[in-house]
Amino acid sequence: MGRNLPYEAAKRLARFGAEPDRLALASLPETRPELLYYLAGDASSAVRGAVAGNTASPAQANRLLAADADPAVRAALGRKLAPQAHALSIAEDRLAAIAWQALCLLAEDAAVHVRAVIAEELKAMPDAPHALILRLAQDAAMAVAEPVIRLSPLLSEEDLLCLVVAPPVPDTLTAVARRPALSESLSDAIAATADEAAIGALLANPSAAIREQTLDGLILQAATRIPWQESLVARPSLPPRAQRALSLCVAGHLLEALTARPDLAPGLAKRLQERVEARLIESASEPSAAALFEAAAMSGDREAMTRLLAREAAVEQRGVEEAIRLRSARALVSLCWQAGFNLRCAMLVQAVLGQIAPGMALLPGPDDGGWPLSTAEMIWQIELLAEPMVRA
């Protein structure tokens, strides 16, 4: 179709032309606004979609197409209007107001695809209307919310904290956790939710700033979560204390990757190698009580853990149960020491049996990764557990 088609001929095509001709007419930016408005009511969704995407279409046609029965038509309209969001939201003329209302309707469209198209257009726009961005970020569909949550420069720290404290859906937490350059405050808030998927995404986010105390608690919880361990081993920066704790926490197949870290603390590589050799020796013989304890922890068998700990520490099972009830990290670590278990067991006992909150766990000491309590204190803790049993 020529671009210089006379008006009367174009008018006849709009009314009586074959679909390909009407489609071509609806796509031309030179087509008169009144003809585009007429074609906005065409029986063919392809023609209406062409009108929706045509920048020359009048505001009245946009308003009509915002309620079109075909989601593809509405999506085409959203793709056209979204880049104009800033200008439309501040314009004072009536036609711009009509277009802005149409865009707002599309942002709340029943079809996820339509809302997702708008989110994709606005996700990195620096001057998009804040209220519209926030509405998309609060969407229950992640195809809509996640691109905006992850990339919009308009979401403030307060906006993101609100999404973490009161997420519209659980997946909202994971989307926030994946946002680049996450602050320590936001990382703390995500860690406090105890949402496993969100925390996993946080640990896998290399640019997220995580406070050392928060990281310590998450490493403890990672003792029974292999995906978390994989993310921790790959993090670009780990403080020395976190490295020591992780060296006791990680599964055997991750020891090599941890050993290969260029920032590994002095002496830690040697201890990691010793752990590998000890595991090889242990695998060739009957499993020790500590190995059985680790296996029970990894499978979540708290009853077997309690029984093994009581037996090897030579205390009544009621004493172990009391330490669990009190969620006493000191008592549980002391029981592991008394049982002759290793420091990995001391981490597992806190994570699985004690369910110690992040930040409250006792991690290996700085001196060669030793026990976090003195021998005198651990003996005292064991005596405290034994006293009620003696009186009974």
Side-chain angles (χ1 to χ4, degrees):
M1 179 182 291
R3 290 181 177 271
N4 297 316
L5 190 67
Y7 177 69
E8 288 301 324
K11 188 175 177 180
R12 285 195 298 274
L13 275 179
R15 294 185 63 189
F16 306 115
E19 182 178 0
D21 293 332
R22 303 196 315 276
L23 180 60
L25 185 65
S27 303
L28 287 174
E30 294 86 0
T31 300
R32 296 279 289 270
E34 62 269 27
L35 293 181
L36 289 171
Y37 179 74
Y38 177 80
L39 289 169
D42 197 278
S44 166
S45 60
V47 173
R48 300 195 308 275
V51 176
N54 193 329
T55 56
S57 294
Q60 294 86 345
N62 292 334
R63 177 168 55 188
L64 180 66
L65 293 168
D68 195 275
D70 191 332
V73 173
R74 304 196 302 272
L77 179 63
R79 191 174 289 109
K80 177 183 73 176
L81 293 179
Q84 308 170 45
H86 173 69
L88 294 176
S89 67
I90 62 174
E92 297 182 356
D93 62 282
R94 185 178 63 86
L95 296 181
I98 291 173
W100 172 242
Q101 289 168 5
L103 180 58
C104 290
L105 282 174
L106 294 171
E108 297 180 344
D109 198 278
V112 171
H113 173 63
V114 176
R115 307 196 306 274
V117 163
I118 294 172
E120 188 65 26
E121 293 292 333
L122 297 180
K123 64 183 181 184
M125 191 179 291
D127 59 354
H130 179 260
L132 184 56
I133 288 293
L134 198 54
R135 183 185 307 164
L136 294 168
Q138 293 167 339
D139 201 290
M142 285 300 102
V144 180
E146 184 162 16
V148 173
I149 291 173
R150 289 184 61 197
L151 299 173
S152 176
L154 296 169
L155 289 174
S156 66
E157 181 97 347
E158 184 180 353
D159 293 333
L160 294 166
L161 281 171
C162 287
L163 289 172
V164 172
V165 173
V169 290
D171 285 345
T172 302
L173 292 172
T174 303
V176 175
R178 290 178 176 147
R179 185 176 170 94
L182 216 60
S183 70
E184 287 184 344
S185 297
L186 280 165
S187 294
D188 286 346
I190 291 167
T193 66
D195 185 286
E196 189 159 342
I199 295 173
L202 174 68
L203 294 175
N205 182 346
S207 65
I210 305 178
R211 213 180 307 275
E212 189 169 351
Q213 185 178 12
T214 303
L215 192 60
D216 289 345
L218 294 178
I219 288 173
L220 177 75
Q221 295 177 64
T224 57
R225 296 172 172 88
I226 301 299
W228 288 19
Q229 295 177 25
E230 292 169 345
S231 297
L232 283 161
V233 167
R235 281 194 70 78
S237 176
L238 282 174
R241 185 170 65 184
Q243 291 179 13
R244 290 194 300 272
L246 194 56
S247 70
L248 299 169
C249 161
V250 295
H253 71 283
L254 294 172
L255 286 171
E256 187 175 343
L258 183 58
T259 307
R261 287 183 64 95
D263 62 342
L264 211 61
L268 186 54
K270 181 182 177 182
R271 292 199 298 277
L272 284 169
Q273 187 58 41
E274 289 171 351
R275 183 183 158 197
V276 172
E277 292 170 0
R279 282 185 170 275
L280 288 173
I281 293 170
E282 193 172 77
S283 64
S285 59
E286 286 293 318
S288 64
L292 293 172
F293 186 83
E294 288 186 29
M298 295 302 290
S299 65
D301 189 345
R302 301 176 81 236
E303 184 178 341
M305 291 176 71
T306 303
R307 187 171 59 252
L308 278 165
L309 189 56
R311 186 187 76 192
E312 297 301 315
V315 300
E316 293 188 35
Q317 188 162 320
R318 284 184 295 167
V320 178
E321 290 168 350
E322 178 69 5
I324 296 169
R325 185 186 69 80
L326 294 172
R327 294 192 174 181
S328 171
R330 291 176 176 272
L332 291 169
V333 167
S334 300
L335 283 165
C336 281
W337 170 80
Q338 172 84 351
F341 290 168
N342 53 37
L343 284 165
R344 176 168 164 76
C345 291
M347 294 185 68
L348 289 168
V349 78
Q350 295 178 81
V352 182
L353 274 186
Q355 298 181 344
I356 305 299
M360 301 299 292
L362 295 177
L363 299 180
D367 182 19
D368 246 1
W371 290 88
L373 300 173
S374 68
T375 301
E377 175 155 5
M378 289 189 285
I379 292 172
W380 183 68
Q381 290 288 337
I382 297 297
E383 289 174 348
L384 279 180
L385 289 174
E387 277 182 11
M389 305 303 115
V390 172
R391 286 197 296 269

